PDB file of all heavy atoms in Angstrom:
ATOM      1  N   ILE A   7       1.903   7.433  25.895  1.00  0.00           N
ATOM      2  CA  ILE A   7       1.218   7.253  24.608  1.00  0.00           C
ATOM      3  C   ILE A   7       0.126   6.242  24.824  1.00  0.00           C
ATOM      4  O   ILE A   7       0.462   5.080  25.284  1.00  0.00           O
ATOM      5  CB  ILE A   7       2.130   6.862  23.458  1.00  0.00           C
ATOM      6  CG1 ILE A   7       3.232   7.954  23.179  1.00  0.00           C
ATOM      7  CG2 ILE A   7       1.318   6.595  22.184  1.00  0.00           C
ATOM      8  CD1 ILE A   7       4.186   7.636  22.107  1.00  0.00           C
ATOM      9  N   LYS A   8      -1.061   6.557  24.522  1.00  0.00           N
ATOM     10  CA  LYS A   8      -2.172   5.681  24.704  1.00  0.00           C
ATOM     11  C   LYS A   8      -2.863   5.372  23.250  1.00  0.00           C
ATOM     12  O   LYS A   8      -3.216   6.295  22.706  1.00  0.00           O
ATOM     13  CB  LYS A   8      -3.212   6.340  25.615  1.00  0.00           C
ATOM     14  CG  LYS A   8      -2.654   6.445  27.017  1.00  0.00           C
ATOM     15  CD  LYS A   8      -3.345   7.402  27.876  1.00  0.00           C
ATOM     16  CE  LYS A   8      -3.170   8.951  27.652  1.00  0.00           C
ATOM     17  NZ  LYS A   8      -1.799   9.404  27.645  1.00  0.00           N
ATOM     18  N   ILE A   9      -2.960   4.049  23.005  1.00  0.00           N
ATOM     19  CA  ILE A   9      -3.594   3.670  21.734  1.00  0.00           C
ATOM     20  C   ILE A   9      -4.687   2.752  22.059  1.00  0.00           C
ATOM     21  O   ILE A   9      -4.651   1.915  22.921  1.00  0.00           O
ATOM     22  CB  ILE A   9      -2.538   2.825  20.884  1.00  0.00           C
ATOM     23  CG1 ILE A   9      -1.251   3.801  20.657  1.00  0.00           C
ATOM     24  CG2 ILE A   9      -3.158   2.326  19.630  1.00  0.00           C
ATOM     25  CD1 ILE A   9      -0.146   3.025  19.943  1.00  0.00           C
ATOM     26  N   ALA A  10      -5.930   3.050  21.357  1.00  0.00           N
ATOM     27  CA  ALA A  10      -6.991   2.196  21.534  1.00  0.00           C
ATOM     28  C   ALA A  10      -7.424   1.435  20.320  1.00  0.00           C
ATOM     29  O   ALA A  10      -7.286   2.005  19.172  1.00  0.00           O
ATOM     30  CB  ALA A  10      -8.236   3.055  22.012  1.00  0.00           C
ATOM     31  N   ARG A  11      -7.645   0.116  20.459  1.00  0.00           N
ATOM     32  CA  ARG A  11      -8.218  -0.646  19.353  1.00  0.00           C
ATOM     33  C   ARG A  11      -9.667  -0.633  19.587  1.00  0.00           C
ATOM     34  O   ARG A  11     -10.191  -1.132  20.587  1.00  0.00           O
ATOM     35  CB  ARG A  11      -7.620  -2.081  19.514  1.00  0.00           C
ATOM     36  CG  ARG A  11      -8.047  -2.966  18.357  1.00  0.00           C
ATOM     37  CD  ARG A  11      -7.451  -4.310  18.393  1.00  0.00           C
ATOM     38  NE  ARG A  11      -7.980  -5.043  19.396  1.00  0.00           N
ATOM     39  CZ  ARG A  11      -7.835  -6.297  19.614  1.00  0.00           C
ATOM     40  NH1 ARG A  11      -6.839  -6.882  18.890  1.00  0.00           N
ATOM     41  NH2 ARG A  11      -8.490  -7.058  20.501  1.00  0.00           N
ATOM     42  N   VAL A  12     -10.349  -0.095  18.569  1.00  0.00           N
ATOM     43  CA  VAL A  12     -11.753   0.041  18.512  1.00  0.00           C
ATOM     44  C   VAL A  12     -12.454  -0.809  17.477  1.00  0.00           C
ATOM     45  O   VAL A  12     -12.122  -0.633  16.272  1.00  0.00           O
ATOM     46  CB  VAL A  12     -12.166   1.471  18.412  1.00  0.00           C
ATOM     47  CG1 VAL A  12     -13.677   1.606  18.389  1.00  0.00           C
ATOM     48  CG2 VAL A  12     -11.558   2.236  19.473  1.00  0.00           C
ATOM     49  N   TRP A  13     -13.248  -1.775  17.906  1.00  0.00           N
ATOM     50  CA  TRP A  13     -13.957  -2.616  16.910  1.00  0.00           C
ATOM     51  C   TRP A  13     -15.260  -1.928  16.279  1.00  0.00           C
ATOM     52  O   TRP A  13     -15.426  -2.099  15.088  1.00  0.00           O
ATOM     53  CB  TRP A  13     -14.331  -3.925  17.505  1.00  0.00           C
ATOM     54  CG  TRP A  13     -13.170  -4.799  17.701  1.00  0.00           C
ATOM     55  CD1 TRP A  13     -12.462  -4.943  18.829  1.00  0.00           C
ATOM     56  CD2 TRP A  13     -12.482  -5.609  16.756  1.00  0.00           C
ATOM     57  NE1 TRP A  13     -11.374  -5.866  18.760  1.00  0.00           N
ATOM     58  CE2 TRP A  13     -11.420  -6.243  17.426  1.00  0.00           C
ATOM     59  CE3 TRP A  13     -12.885  -5.888  15.428  1.00  0.00           C
ATOM     60  CZ2 TRP A  13     -10.667  -7.177  16.807  1.00  0.00           C
ATOM     61  CZ3 TRP A  13     -11.906  -6.857  14.811  1.00  0.00           C
ATOM     62  CH2 TRP A  13     -10.798  -7.465  15.391  1.00  0.00           C
ATOM     63  N   SER A  14     -16.015  -1.311  17.110  1.00  0.00           N
ATOM     64  CA  SER A  14     -17.279  -0.775  16.694  1.00  0.00           C
ATOM     65  C   SER A  14     -17.268   0.495  16.020  1.00  0.00           C
ATOM     66  O   SER A  14     -16.469   1.411  16.409  1.00  0.00           O
ATOM     67  CB  SER A  14     -18.294  -0.639  17.883  1.00  0.00           C
ATOM     68  OG  SER A  14     -19.431  -0.097  17.385  1.00  0.00           O
ATOM     69  N   GLU A  15     -17.618   0.638  14.813  1.00  0.00           N
ATOM     70  CA  GLU A  15     -17.493   1.846  13.959  1.00  0.00           C
ATOM     71  C   GLU A  15     -18.289   2.953  14.662  1.00  0.00           C
ATOM     72  O   GLU A  15     -17.881   4.115  14.369  1.00  0.00           O
ATOM     73  CB  GLU A  15     -18.286   1.569  12.638  1.00  0.00           C
ATOM     74  CG  GLU A  15     -17.617   0.535  11.705  1.00  0.00           C
ATOM     75  CD  GLU A  15     -16.331   1.010  11.101  1.00  0.00           C
ATOM     76  OE1 GLU A  15     -16.349   2.243  10.672  1.00  0.00           O
ATOM     77  OE2 GLU A  15     -15.396   0.216  11.036  1.00  0.00           O
ATOM     78  N   VAL A  16     -19.209   2.720  15.553  1.00  0.00           N
ATOM     79  CA  VAL A  16     -19.946   3.773  16.143  1.00  0.00           C
ATOM     80  C   VAL A  16     -19.018   4.748  17.034  1.00  0.00           C
ATOM     81  O   VAL A  16     -19.315   5.878  17.251  1.00  0.00           O
ATOM     82  CB  VAL A  16     -21.135   3.201  17.065  1.00  0.00           C
ATOM     83  CG1 VAL A  16     -20.601   2.553  18.298  1.00  0.00           C
ATOM     84  CG2 VAL A  16     -22.114   4.311  17.391  1.00  0.00           C
ATOM     85  N   TYR A  17     -17.925   4.141  17.460  1.00  0.00           N
ATOM     86  CA  TYR A  17     -16.958   4.933  18.367  1.00  0.00           C
ATOM     87  C   TYR A  17     -15.958   5.760  17.445  1.00  0.00           C
ATOM     88  O   TYR A  17     -15.157   6.450  18.044  1.00  0.00           O
ATOM     89  CB  TYR A  17     -16.263   3.980  19.370  1.00  0.00           C
ATOM     90  CG  TYR A  17     -17.206   3.407  20.371  1.00  0.00           C
ATOM     91  CD1 TYR A  17     -17.469   2.051  20.314  1.00  0.00           C
ATOM     92  CD2 TYR A  17     -17.945   4.207  21.133  1.00  0.00           C
ATOM     93  CE1 TYR A  17     -18.237   1.446  21.267  1.00  0.00           C
ATOM     94  CE2 TYR A  17     -18.806   3.576  22.047  1.00  0.00           C
ATOM     95  CZ  TYR A  17     -19.125   2.261  22.036  1.00  0.00           C
ATOM     96  OH  TYR A  17     -19.948   1.734  22.949  1.00  0.00           O
ATOM     97  N   THR A  18     -15.915   5.470  16.193  1.00  0.00           N
ATOM     98  CA  THR A  18     -14.920   6.205  15.379  1.00  0.00           C
ATOM     99  C   THR A  18     -15.537   7.307  14.557  1.00  0.00           C
ATOM    100  O   THR A  18     -14.863   8.119  13.970  1.00  0.00           O
ATOM    101  CB  THR A  18     -14.123   5.172  14.464  1.00  0.00           C
ATOM    102  OG1 THR A  18     -15.048   4.585  13.698  1.00  0.00           O
ATOM    103  CG2 THR A  18     -13.319   4.219  15.295  1.00  0.00           C
ATOM    104  N   ASP A  19     -16.798   7.256  14.408  1.00  0.00           N
ATOM    105  CA  ASP A  19     -17.463   8.362  13.639  1.00  0.00           C
ATOM    106  C   ASP A  19     -18.668   8.905  14.429  1.00  0.00           C
ATOM    107  O   ASP A  19     -19.110   8.304  15.372  1.00  0.00           O
ATOM    108  CB  ASP A  19     -18.061   7.773  12.325  1.00  0.00           C
ATOM    109  CG  ASP A  19     -16.968   7.189  11.415  1.00  0.00           C
ATOM    110  OD1 ASP A  19     -15.919   7.886  11.318  1.00  0.00           O
ATOM    111  OD2 ASP A  19     -17.153   6.218  10.756  1.00  0.00           O
ATOM    112  N   GLY A  20     -19.187   9.912  13.869  1.00  0.00           N
ATOM    113  CA  GLY A  20     -20.534  10.510  14.428  1.00  0.00           C
ATOM    114  C   GLY A  20     -20.445  10.963  15.831  1.00  0.00           C
ATOM    115  O   GLY A  20     -19.419  11.610  16.257  1.00  0.00           O
ATOM    116  N   ASP A  21     -21.401  10.787  16.472  1.00  0.00           N
ATOM    117  CA  ASP A  21     -21.740  11.260  17.900  1.00  0.00           C
ATOM    118  C   ASP A  21     -20.634  10.870  18.920  1.00  0.00           C
ATOM    119  O   ASP A  21     -20.236  11.707  19.779  1.00  0.00           O
ATOM    120  CB  ASP A  21     -23.014  11.005  18.499  1.00  0.00           C
ATOM    121  CG  ASP A  21     -24.148  11.466  17.682  1.00  0.00           C
ATOM    122  OD1 ASP A  21     -23.986  12.545  16.923  1.00  0.00           O
ATOM    123  OD2 ASP A  21     -25.279  10.962  17.737  1.00  0.00           O
ATOM    124  N   TYR A  22     -19.993   9.791  18.768  1.00  0.00           N
ATOM    125  CA  TYR A  22     -19.030   9.346  19.752  1.00  0.00           C
ATOM    126  C   TYR A  22     -17.588   9.619  19.332  1.00  0.00           C
ATOM    127  O   TYR A  22     -16.666   9.195  20.071  1.00  0.00           O
ATOM    128  CB  TYR A  22     -19.197   7.699  19.922  1.00  0.00           C
ATOM    129  CG  TYR A  22     -20.507   7.444  20.579  1.00  0.00           C
ATOM    130  CD1 TYR A  22     -21.639   6.866  19.805  1.00  0.00           C
ATOM    131  CD2 TYR A  22     -20.674   7.638  21.977  1.00  0.00           C
ATOM    132  CE1 TYR A  22     -22.761   6.542  20.385  1.00  0.00           C
ATOM    133  CE2 TYR A  22     -22.002   7.211  22.490  1.00  0.00           C
ATOM    134  CZ  TYR A  22     -23.004   6.743  21.836  1.00  0.00           C
ATOM    135  OH  TYR A  22     -24.086   6.458  22.365  1.00  0.00           O
ATOM    136  N   ALA A  23     -17.384  10.208  18.265  1.00  0.00           N
ATOM    137  CA  ALA A  23     -15.947  10.349  17.698  1.00  0.00           C
ATOM    138  C   ALA A  23     -15.217  11.204  18.795  1.00  0.00           C
ATOM    139  O   ALA A  23     -13.951  11.035  18.809  1.00  0.00           O
ATOM    140  CB  ALA A  23     -16.093  11.093  16.433  1.00  0.00           C
ATOM    141  N   SER A  24     -15.966  12.076  19.468  1.00  0.00           N
ATOM    142  CA  SER A  24     -15.134  13.006  20.408  1.00  0.00           C
ATOM    143  C   SER A  24     -14.941  12.297  21.705  1.00  0.00           C
ATOM    144  O   SER A  24     -14.292  12.810  22.622  1.00  0.00           O
ATOM    145  CB  SER A  24     -15.928  14.255  20.668  1.00  0.00           C
ATOM    146  OG  SER A  24     -17.122  13.940  21.211  1.00  0.00           O
ATOM    147  N   LEU A  25     -15.389  11.034  21.936  1.00  0.00           N
ATOM    148  CA  LEU A  25     -15.179  10.361  23.139  1.00  0.00           C
ATOM    149  C   LEU A  25     -13.743  10.106  23.515  1.00  0.00           C
ATOM    150  O   LEU A  25     -13.318  10.221  24.661  1.00  0.00           O
ATOM    151  CB  LEU A  25     -15.934   8.986  22.995  1.00  0.00           C
ATOM    152  CG  LEU A  25     -15.810   8.082  24.232  1.00  0.00           C
ATOM    153  CD1 LEU A  25     -16.558   8.627  25.486  1.00  0.00           C
ATOM    154  CD2 LEU A  25     -16.428   6.691  23.929  1.00  0.00           C
TER     155      LEU A  25
END
Side-chain angles (χ1 to χ4, degrees):
I7 297 175
K8 295 163 282 306
I9 301 172
R11 182 176 77 174
V12 179
W13 286 96
S14 178
E15 297 282 321
V16 73
Y17 296 116
T18 57
D19 293 327
D21 296 336
Y22 294 102
S24 63
L25 179 64

